[in-house]
Amino acid sequence: MSGTNPETAILVFAKAPVAGAAKTRLIPLLGAAGAAALHVRLIERALATAGAAAPDTLALWCAPDAADAFLQSAAQQSGATLQVQLGADLGARMAHAFAATLQQTRYAICIGADCPVLTAQHLRDATDALRAGNDAVFVPAEDGGYALIGLSRTAPELMSGIAWGSATVMAQTRERLRENNLRWHELETLWDIDRPQDYLRLQQSGLMDDLPSPV
C-alpha cells in the first residue's frame, strides 16, 4: 500500500485468536471463547487505526505462524502484508521485525492489539517525532509497559533482557536508551487491555460496541 505518511511502515503484532491461548488473563472473566472473540475485535481495530495513519507500508506480524485463517483474512482486508514473528521472546521478535523493515523504509512503528485508545493521530505524532531526529519514540502504558515503539534505526539493545509483561518494561527500556546514548521522545501515556479491570474500563468507555459479555 502507499499512503500519505511517507517512508513509514507500521507493524501490527498479533497472536492468532485461538480460544484458550488468546488474552488468557481475561479467560476467568470472559471464558476462553469470549477472550478470543475480544482479541479478534482488538486486532481488527488495531489494523484499522494503523491503516488510517496512511503509512507507506502496513504489515501484520503474526504468531505462531501465518496459518490462521482469521489473520490471513484480516491482512487481506486491511491491505497489510502478512509476516511471521521469529524469535525466542517478544524482544527478539520485535528486533527481527524492525531489522527486516528498516532495510526497506526510513521509519518503523510497532504496535500491538491491546490498546484500543491508540489513534491514528498517535501514529502520525510518532512518525513526526522520528522525523525530528529522535532514534526512538514510545507511547508508555499505565501498566508500566508501552503500547507503541517506533525506531529510525535498528536498536536490538532496547529489546534484549527486558522483563516482558512486567510493570518495569518502560523503566528498563529508558535505562537502555540512556546507556546507549539514544535520543527518544514519549507521547502521552495510554491504557491497554490485559486484566479484568481493564476490560470493564473498556466497556464503560464506549469505544467499542458489541463486546463479549462476562461469563
Side-chain angles (χ1 to χ4, degrees), residues 61-160:
W61 285 79
C62 58
D65 52 44
D68 183 79
F70 165 74
L71 293 179
Q72 292 175 356
S73 174
Q76 183 177 20
Q77 292 181 18
S78 64
T81 63
L82 192 61
Q83 308 286 345
V84 178
Q85 299 178 28
L86 298 175
D89 63 11
L90 177 60
R93 295 193 293 272
M94 287 198 297
H96 169 262
F98 273 115
T101 302
L102 287 169
Q103 291 179 3
Q104 303 172 11
T105 192
R106 189 167 181 182
Y107 310 115
I109 295 169
C110 181
I111 64 174
D114 295 337
C115 186
V117 291
L118 187 77
T119 67
Q121 189 59 52
H122 290 117
L123 293 166
R124 288 188 287 266
D125 290 345
T127 300
D128 288 344
L130 296 174
R131 287 199 186 104
N134 290 288
D135 299 301
V137 61
F138 297 88
V139 170
E142 289 182 2
D143 63 6
Y146 52 78
L148 175 154
I149 174 175
L151 298 176
S152 60
R153 44 152 287 182
T154 56
E157 61 272 21
L158 298 181
M159 302 163 213
S160 175

